[in-house]
Amino acid sequence: MSAYLNSVYNNYLSGYAPKELTRFDAHNKRELRDTCNSIIKLNKDSPLYLPVTNKDIQQYIVDIKDNARNLKNTISKLGVLDDKTIFARKSAYSSDTDCIVSSFVGSDEDARGDPSYLINVSSLATAQQNTGSFLKPDALGIPPDTYSFDVALNDMNYELQFTVTGQDTNKTVQERLKRLINNSSIGLKASVMENDENYALVIESDNTGKGPLKDDLLFSITDDKTSKKSGAVDYFGLDNVTRAPENAKLSINGEARESSSNKFTLGKVYDIELKEPTTEEEQVIISLKT
């Protein structure tokens, strides 16, 4: 009996449960009154007919109404219910989406000029990466103690602390440092890399492009003046920069440009995302299309 009731209940939900509402389903009294009056007027001019009692036909008619409502709401989300302009709206176009992805963020007035650009991408913006020393996983070359190191990043300074116990190894401490950096949410992400059965901690910046520190770095790690025991930075190689941050290099309509990020706004009209460098001769067209 329970299974039968569940089947009936599920059928009721799938067929008669109210559909998801949007802000376009809200109406004021005047709109509802006008709709009701238009139905009455149409019925006055319509011929008489026999009422339909078939449940399948009734459900089919209700589905037509719901589908029409959903279609109207989808069109309303685009902001165009005028049938003269709905098919004249424009969106951003990129001739090579593997290299550059674009989206239109301007106004209708901006679209009237049909602005277009030719872009060539020499290189992408890169993040800074520090790769530590590769150490044997089961050994440990620093004494147990509470250590700390300072991170300079985005004009801010952070002190991170961790503890090394007598049961730790290089691998367990590297994993602890990885979690410490990732959980700190300061704009760095860390991972542990293996090479020939040895392991190193890899630290990378969230941001890309040349930074404000010495040698255009985005972050630096030191423990010269830290509050706890020092020596972990040198032992684990946390300050070893293996990839310096670089700006993206590109040309727009023949003019050389640089960008600290691979995402930027162009002419207040397009949001641009650089995905891959182009060939030396290729010019990616960024424009609008209907």
Side-chain angles (χ1 to χ4, degrees), residues 25-40:
D25 291 301
H27 304 282
N28 57 43
K29 292 182 179 179
R30 181 183 58 79
E31 291 175 319
L32 294 175
R33 184 169 56 250
D34 291 345
T35 300
C36 182
N37 291 336
S38 66
I39 293 174
I40 294 174

Side-chain angles (χ1 to χ4, degrees), residues 8-21 59 62-63 65-66 69:
V8 172
Y9 182 70
N10 291 334
N11 181 70
Y12 170 79
L13 285 180
S14 61
Y16 299 98
K19 305 298 186 295
E20 181 182 357
L21 299 179
Q59 184 60 46
V62 171
D63 288 342
K65 181 206 69 170
D66 283 343
R69 179 180 67 85

Side-chain angles (χ1 to χ4, degrees), residues 18 27 62-63 67-68 71 83 100 120 129 134 157 193 195 231 238 251:
H27 304 282
V62 171
D63 288 342
N67 291 333
L71 176 60
D83 57 359
I100 303 176
N120 177 274
Q129 185 181 86
F134 283 92
N157 288 285
M193 181 172 63
N195 184 20
L238 304 183
S251 68

